[in-house]
Amino acid sequence: MSYENDLILKQARGEQTDRFPVWLMRQAGRILPEYRAVRNSLSGFKELVETPELAAEVTIQPVDILGVDAAIIFSDILVVPEAMGLEYQMIEKKGPWFEKTINSEADLGLISADIDVEQELKYVMDAIQITKRELNGRVPLIGFCGAPWTIFCYMTEGQGSKTFSKARKILYQNPEMAHKILNAITEVSIKYLKAQIKAGADMLQVFDSWAGILPPDQYEEFGTKYVSRICEAINEVPVTIFAKGAYFAREAFAKLDCNTIGIDWNMDIEESRRIVGPNKTLQGNLDPCLLYADFKTIESETNKMLKKFGNSRHIANLGHGVYPDTDPEKVKCFIETVKNFKIK
Ligand code: CP3
């Protein structure tokens, strides 16, 4: 397939480009009034996720309105636990909520890895196919899933948490059960990512949003181990691993069979480059709160960040998802600044 703009695929593979590609985590939804308009015409978030034509429409909005160099399919990491047996609800102003959770061996019967993802998550594959057709090669499309550890957090807690102590308790009280759950999630995630590639995803990102709450040795055992299995299973398209807060895992991540490592704004750019070495692309890492500053500051801080990445492999992004109350004009300022920065 040929693209009008494949800067992001080139950077992910370590090929030279004149400027850095840019996109934002959580760019689809959250900040755009155009998204709100589509969403408000429906019963809620879930209906939008499950309606492929509309999911495709809001996936493409940031390409048209913000001018990003990639689209990310509009969906959620929680479709995987749902496909495995735990239905989720998205409660307005509160976030995700699962009626059933896994807290004991007896609960293991609630989930299954033996599922046909192409069937269970057909609405995602349909949305990918429609998006690809409508993008018509303008920019690549990113598919995604949650990392096993982060999905484990939602399956055991049933909602967000400050401490994730229910999830973490299991690692100490019943590590074998934790491994059974993580294995099941990993198996389904690999099938799911492969189905996304088949439907047309050009690259993939794995979100480990709650990586940073574990001590380093536990993250190695319950986090990196499973992320690594996903990386080994996917060779068809470039893969990005983003593990929020896992500065302690950067050395291990340098050895993963992936193209790109996402870094958050707590991680020093030059230090990350030293740890990871020259042979992987780094993605990130502007502080999302910088987008509350004035335009001049956004421009100068973005340029400062880009200079720190120098001419090494880089995909510009924020250090985590864009916050819902960010002014889209400020986002555009960030994007334009990246686009105007010439790689020497
Ligand atoms: O990046 C994109 O724009 C693509 C779509 C996307 C969504 N969620 C849509 C969404 C992606 C990639 C995600 C990933 C996701 N979902 C993560 C990992 C990334 C991260 O931010 O750490 C996590 C932890 C979730 C779980 C989740 N979904 C939560 C905690 C919430 C509620 C709060 C919020 O807005 O993040 C959601 C809901 C959700 N997922 C919304 C969107 C646009 C908001 C729903 C709405 O009100 O319309």
Side-chain angles (χ1 to χ4, degrees):
M1 128 141 249
S2 71
Y3 301 89
E4 269 168 54
N5 169 356
D6 63 351
L7 288 170
I8 194 166
L9 295 174
K10 289 203 168 106
Q11 276 295 333
R13 297 193 203 106
E15 295 164 24
Q16 203 65 40
T17 61
D18 296 336
R19 66 164 179 90
F20 293 118
V22 57
W23 69 285
L24 282 83
M25 289 185 272
R26 313 300 294 274
Q27 68 187 17
R30 275 199 161 173
I31 59 162
L32 294 175
E34 292 85 352
Y35 164 76
R36 288 273 136 206
V38 176
R39 190 185 172 296
N40 290 343
S41 69
L42 305 169
S43 63
F45 172 76
K46 234 182 138 171
E47 190 184 348
L48 181 48
V49 165
E50 292 167 11
T51 309
E53 293 75 18
L54 296 178
E57 184 181 335
V58 298
T59 297
I60 297 170
Q61 281 176 349
V63 178
D64 290 335
I65 300 165
L66 303 173
V68 285
D69 294 310
I72 179 161
I73 192 67
F74 185 81
S75 184
D76 202 90
I77 62 169
L78 303 176
V79 302
V80 165
E82 179 162 273
M84 292 176 73
L86 303 177
E87 202 182 313
Y88 76 93
Q89 290 176 42
M90 195 59 76
I91 298 171
E92 196 67 28
K93 296 199 171 69
K94 276 195 69 186
W97 191 75
F98 291 80
E99 187 168 332
K100 294 185 206 145
T101 55
I102 311 281
N103 286 292
S104 68
E105 298 270 350
D107 298 330
L108 288 177
L110 294 172
I111 54 167
S112 169
D114 190 19
I115 55 164
D116 179 352
V117 285
E118 300 209 23
Q119 208 41 52
E120 293 291 333
L121 297 171
K122 183 172 187 300
Y123 57 86
V124 180
M125 311 317 153
D126 289 347
I128 290 175
Q129 280 172 359
I130 297 168
T131 304
K132 283 289 289 183
R133 196 171 63 224
E134 291 180 0
L135 276 176
N136 196 22
R138 271 190 290 161
V139 292
L141 176 64
I142 304 170
F144 71 91
C145 72
W149 163 248
T150 289
I151 298 301
F152 176 94
C153 285
Y154 285 104
M155 282 185 163
T156 53
E157 298 273 347
Q159 57 190 318
S161 163
K162 277 214 171 76
T163 60
F164 285 96
S165 53
K166 276 190 202 150
R168 296 192 53 205
K169 182 163 85 177
I170 300 171
L171 307 188
Y172 287 104
Q173 293 188 341
N174 197 343
E176 291 85 45
M177 181 173 100
H179 282 300
K180 275 187 209 160
I181 299 169
L182 289 162
N183 264 307
I185 300 167
T186 304
E187 196 183 312
V188 175
S189 300
I190 290 169
K191 284 195 277 191
Y192 179 45
L193 292 176
K194 290 210 179 261
Q196 292 187 54
I197 297 168
K198 196 172 144 204
D202 300 292
M203 58 193 294
L204 297 168
Q205 175 154 327
V206 179
F207 286 91
D208 213 349
S209 307
W210 308 119
I213 63 173
L214 291 181
D217 56 342
Q218 276 193 338
Y219 188 68
E220 199 181 317
E221 183 183 350
F222 300 99
T224 308
K225 183 176 159 192
Y226 294 97
V227 165
S228 168
R229 273 184 31 202
I230 294 176
C231 291
E232 273 156 31
I234 307 289
N235 298 302
E236 301 89 331
V237 299
V239 174
T240 301
I241 304 298
F242 172 64
K244 173 83 180 62
Y247 59 89
F248 46 77
R250 284 175 295 180
E251 223 165 293
F253 278 14
K255 300 192 192 97
L256 290 177
D257 186 13
C258 69
N259 300 67
T260 303
I261 294 170
I263 59 173
D264 67 41
W265 68 92
N266 290 127
M267 301 180 195
D268 183 78
I269 293 167
E270 283 129 337
E271 180 191 57
S272 299
R273 179 50 77 196
R274 271 198 304 279
I275 295 171
V276 170
N279 298 327
K280 283 204 182 344
T281 306
L282 292 178
Q283 175 175 273
N285 73 338
L286 200 83
D287 179 1
C289 284
L290 184 76
L291 300 182
Y292 297 123
D294 55 63
F295 290 102
K296 262 193 123 131
T297 309
I298 293 172
E299 199 183 323
S300 63
E301 288 297 309
T302 300
N303 280 319
K304 207 158 111 192
M305 171 188 85
L306 295 168
K307 278 193 199 112
K308 282 192 187 161
F309 280 102
N311 59 6
S312 69
R313 295 169 58 172
H314 179 218
I315 296 169
N317 205 312
L318 303 181
H320 197 188
V322 60
Y323 295 133
D325 62 347
T326 306
D327 176 356
E329 292 305 316
K330 299 284 176 77
V331 173
K332 282 189 204 164
C333 174
F334 164 61
I335 291 167
E336 284 311 309
T337 307
V338 177
K339 288 186 168 178
N340 288 327
F341 185 92
K342 292 267 172 297
I343 303 177
K344 292 206 187 62

